[in-house]
Amino acid sequence: GSEMCIRDSTGVLLGHDFPCGRALEQLALQSDKRYKIRPSMQGADCSLSGVENKVKKMLADGEEQQNIARFVLDYISMTLACMTESLLEQYGNLPLLFAGGVMSDSIIRNVITEKYDAYFAAPEYSCDNAAGIALFAALKAGYQL
């Protein structure tokens, strides 16, 4: 998703090799700052278009790398929380399952688990979307799993 692009593009701007998720998380964990984020939402959909510009401005203004990393992960966390809230309002109190590489980030997971009774796919099923897509395709094709 676009949140992965934001993580990686920020990591690359900060001089890390792609993919940058783990490096960005390690940087962010060193930050003492916490950012109050008001994500740009339209229903359950989000817009992350302004985040990269904000990151570039923070970098140009001399902000410390760990604070930039924390800003990005706080932004992603709050955006996912707002999306989740919107979906729960729309569909009711269904079980929540999060998967994918972004969900392996401890900062994001902590925000989600503080707010919701959520489940997370094991890391080996979260490295990309292939496992979920294959499972969904099998179910849609009528296979009994």
Side-chain angles (χ1 to χ4, degrees):
S2 57
E3 68 279 351
M4 180 63 91
C5 295
I6 295 295
R7 282 188 341 159
D8 287 328
S9 64
T10 299
V12 169
L13 281 171
L14 297 180
H16 296 280
D17 292 331
F18 176 89
C20 308
R22 190 157 315 251
L24 207 64
E25 177 184 14
Q26 293 307 312
L27 268 176
L29 289 170
Q30 297 171 32
S31 174
D32 293 331
K33 290 196 175 188
R34 299 299 175 269
Y35 293 90
K36 293 202 184 299
I37 305 295
R38 300 196 118 201
S40 177
M41 303 293 297
Q42 182 133 9
D45 294 328
C46 69
S47 172
L48 300 175
S49 60
V51 178
E52 190 168 357
N53 288 336
K54 173 72 173 167
V55 165
K56 287 178 180 175
K57 181 174 180 353
M58 291 173 83
L59 192 59
D61 290 346
E63 185 62 70
E64 293 182 25
Q65 286 197 8
Q66 66 263 29
N67 296 333
I68 296 171
R70 185 67 196 216
F71 167 77
V72 168
L73 294 180
D74 282 351
Y75 203 102
I76 293 169
S77 299
M78 289 312 301
T79 300
L80 288 170
C82 287
M83 293 171 79
T84 301
E85 193 64 39
S86 180
L87 291 171
L88 289 173
E89 288 173 13
Q90 186 175 349
Y91 294 104
N93 193 19
L94 296 172
L96 298 171
L97 172 64
F98 291 88
V102 173
M103 299 316 303
S104 65
D105 184 285
S106 65
I107 293 170
I108 295 170
R109 285 177 71 125
N110 288 342
V111 167
I112 297 297
T113 55
E114 284 174 12
K115 293 180 174 288
Y116 306 103
D117 183 23
Y119 300 92
F120 293 85
E124 60 266 26
Y125 300 117
S126 290
C127 54
D128 63 31
N129 292 329
I133 292 168
L135 191 60
F136 181 71
L139 291 170
K140 288 296 273 183
Y143 288 96
Q144 296 297 316
L145 303 177

